[in-house]
Amino acid sequence: MTATEPLAHRARTLAKAGDQEGAADLLRILVTEVTGQEVLDLVLTLDQYSLNSVNGRVTLADGSRFFYKFHSEEGEDQTIAEYYNAELLSEHGYLIDRPVYASGEPGRQILLYALREEPRLADVVRANDLGEPGAEPDSVILAAQAERDAIAARILVDTLHPITAEQSAAEPIHQLFHHRLTTPGAAPGRGGRIASFYEDARFALGDDPVELDWEQLLVARWRIDGVDYDRTLGALLDEAAELLEPAALAPFGGVVAHGDDHNANVWFETEGGTHPLVAFDPAFAGRHVPALLAEVKATFHNSLAHPLWLYEPALAEQRFGASVRMTDGVLVVDRDWSLTPLRAELLVSRAERTWRPLLAALAERGMRPPHWRRVVRLALMLCPLLVRNLRAGGAGGHTPATSALAFAMVVQCGAEPVSGSDAVADFIERIDFIERSGS
């Protein structure tokens, strides 16, 4: 870190290194410069969902209080051109919390929202997962999600339009997928976070760990909970580098979308007896978001990332296990983990209410590619693989048991079952079945 680095980037570096006081000092300077007011109090928050961002609360000299959040990821602060798109989303009918203050200057990206006391939907659903006293029942959460999913479908279908390769490439959503997979000069699918997280590393998988290196992990075949899968991790990365390349997605249309409205970026409003879901932090929103990427992040992170294994591996370690053995080049993984009933129903809601209408509209307009399932699966796969380091002992906090859970989910998202099924295959089949039965 150097003194010339932009404030947000420096603050994130200090926060991730554990120097919250130093990060807060820099953020006070940044907030003062953005708002023109002295900062009376600033609290920094690093919760389990703050994988690539920092957030907290701040009080200004006039007594106004705000929730702030900023991203500053490696290699990205010079490439996100239109960082905040709340107005665009609101104009098209999304329920979106618009910031009072915003800075989009590279390395100084920060949003300040009027402080809300409502919980984020991520916290509401987590309390339900854990059976905490006073947790919202499944029916209340599902009703709120159903309304959101229907609204999103209507907007996605209404805004679906042809896009050029240049328009696709300019969309910041690719920062969440292809750009984290590649680096100029690196082999396709072997750059970006793949290189920084996993290359030349050792891996320990399972309660009684099987140890192997990166090259061995890339070529291993998988059998997960008795189901064999048709692709290795190396083959999946090669395929993702090709099919998720921004220009390759352009022929299949674009939409106006948030692109990153997972539950940690959604307020669960509580007034008036209803619970509209209001999104915030549209850092990766856009006007020409490739249609098949628009709902991927929320689909994965709201359901398949839970319970616990991605965001809270230390807690998952106490509750779940994974037996792993290597047999004739096959990693055999048996888990005692599964989706909770609520998470499974949330996945069904998004399949039926959002993905089905979108895929139908793509088909009607001649924009749905024959390999759409591969595009969706590969994008789902990259959500956990590139959002944090899944290696035991790495920066993601994983243990051998939770690392096995994590890589098993990566493979289940990207690869196809040779026979049998799993939660991801059921999701894809549900979309396909509904699509065919409604045609």
Side-chain angles (χ1 to χ4, degrees):
M1 185 177 71
T2 68
T4 59
E5 286 179 317
L7 288 169
H9 188 277
R10 292 165 62 195
R12 178 182 180 273
T13 300
L14 290 175
K16 297 299 183 182
D19 184 1
Q20 296 199 34
E21 183 176 350
D25 287 342
L26 293 176
L27 289 173
R28 290 186 187 97
I29 298 171
L30 177 58
V31 171
T32 296
E33 293 179 357
V34 171
T35 65
Q37 292 195 54
E38 180 185 354
V39 173
L40 297 183
D41 183 58
L42 186 143
V43 177
L44 191 72
T45 302
L46 288 173
D47 60 30
Q48 66 267 32
Y49 306 114
S50 301
L51 303 184
N52 301 289
S53 63
V54 179
N55 63 71
R57 298 184 176 197
V58 62
T59 303
L60 301 182
D62 65 359
S64 57
R65 301 172 68 207
F66 298 91
F67 169 83
Y68 69 84
K69 185 170 184 180
F70 69 88
H71 292 258
S72 182
E73 299 188 43
E74 67 281 356
E76 296 184 0
D77 51 354
Q78 297 297 326
T79 57
I80 298 176
E82 293 188 20
Y83 205 74
Y84 306 113
N85 294 283
E87 292 293 335
L88 169 68
L89 297 178
S90 180
E91 289 169 4
H92 285 85
Y94 286 100
L95 297 180
I96 186 79
D97 198 3
R98 285 176 279 185
V100 179
Y101 296 99
S103 171
E105 184 179 341
R108 295 165 54 88
Q109 300 101 324
I110 191 168
L111 292 172
L112 286 88
Y113 298 89
L115 185 64
R116 288 172 172 261
E117 298 300 335
E118 299 98 337
R120 292 174 300 174
L121 184 56
D123 300 313
V124 173
V125 183
R126 179 184 184 275
N128 180 288
D129 283 345
L130 300 180
E132 295 180 353
E136 294 286 352
D138 288 14
S139 59
V140 172
I141 297 170
L142 288 170
Q145 189 65 55
E147 181 180 10
R148 178 268 169 209
D149 291 343
I151 291 171
R154 183 174 68 249
I155 299 169
L156 293 172
V157 171
D158 288 348
T159 63
L160 180 61
H161 62 282
I163 60 173
T164 65
E166 291 75 19
Q167 287 172 326
S168 174
E171 285 296 323
I173 196 170
H174 298 295
Q175 299 290 355
L176 301 174
F177 299 100
H178 196 262
H179 295 348
R180 289 180 175 175
L181 188 66
T182 59
T183 298
R190 301 296 189 274
R193 291 190 176 184
I194 293 296
S196 63
F197 285 179
Y198 307 119
E199 190 175 52
D200 297 327
R202 292 285 297 176
F203 297 80
L205 302 175
D207 298 323
D208 184 12
V210 169
E211 296 193 7
L212 62 168
D213 61 29
W214 176 234
E215 293 302 321
Q216 290 173 310
L217 188 62
L218 286 174
V219 300
R221 292 172 288 131
W222 292 78
R223 180 178 302 134
I224 303 168
D225 296 336
V227 177
D228 288 310
Y229 291 84
D230 69 346
R231 289 166 169 84
T232 65
L233 180 58
L236 291 170
L237 292 175
D238 293 341
E239 192 179 13
E242 177 184 358
L243 296 186
L244 298 184
E245 198 278 326
L249 295 171
F252 315 127
V255 294
V256 173
H258 186 293
D260 194 31
D261 56 339
H262 55 80
N263 287 348
N265 284 338
V266 174
W267 300 115
F268 184 78
E269 293 199 340
T270 56
E271 293 184 5
T274 60
H275 303 282
L277 304 182
V278 180
F280 62 96
D281 192 24
F284 303 99
R287 190 179 300 275
H288 309 297
V289 175
L292 290 178
L293 293 186
E295 288 289 305
V296 167
K297 285 286 287 186
T299 297
F300 181 86
H301 286 276
N302 292 355
S303 296
L304 298 169
H306 303 274
L308 302 174
W309 66 265
L310 178 62
Y311 292 105
E312 299 179 84
L315 188 53
E317 169 82 8
Q318 301 171 20
R319 294 171 175 250
F320 310 113
S323 169
V324 179
R325 66 183 187 275
M326 178 73 88
T327 304
D328 297 328
V330 178
L331 278 168
V332 181
V333 183
D334 293 298
R335 306 168 297 174
D336 61 4
W337 172 94
S338 64
L339 291 175
T340 63
L342 175 59
R343 298 291 182 177
E345 286 299 317
L346 290 171
L347 194 58
V348 169
S349 178
R350 198 166 296 262
E352 294 184 348
R353 295 183 174 90
T354 306
W355 282 96
R356 174 196 174 188
L358 175 60
L359 286 166
L362 285 166
E364 291 167 4
R365 302 180 199 184
M367 294 180 176
R368 190 182 68 204
H371 59 283
W372 68 264
R373 296 168 189 81
R374 297 305 310 146
V375 172
V376 173
R377 275 186 169 276
L378 292 167
L380 288 171
M381 175 193 77
L382 294 187
C383 289
L385 188 62
L386 302 183
V387 77
R388 70 188 311 175
N389 192 326
L390 302 181
R391 184 176 61 85
H398 279 283
T399 68
T402 64
S403 183
L405 295 176
F407 279 104
M409 180 58 73
V410 166
V411 172
Q412 285 188 319
C413 284
E416 307 281 349
V418 175
S419 61
S421 191
D422 58 47
V424 182
D426 290 346
F427 167 72
I428 298 294
E429 177 63 22
R430 179 175 294 276
I431 296 173
D432 196 26
F433 171 78
I434 295 171
E435 173 193 328
R436 286 186 280 105
S437 65
S439 61

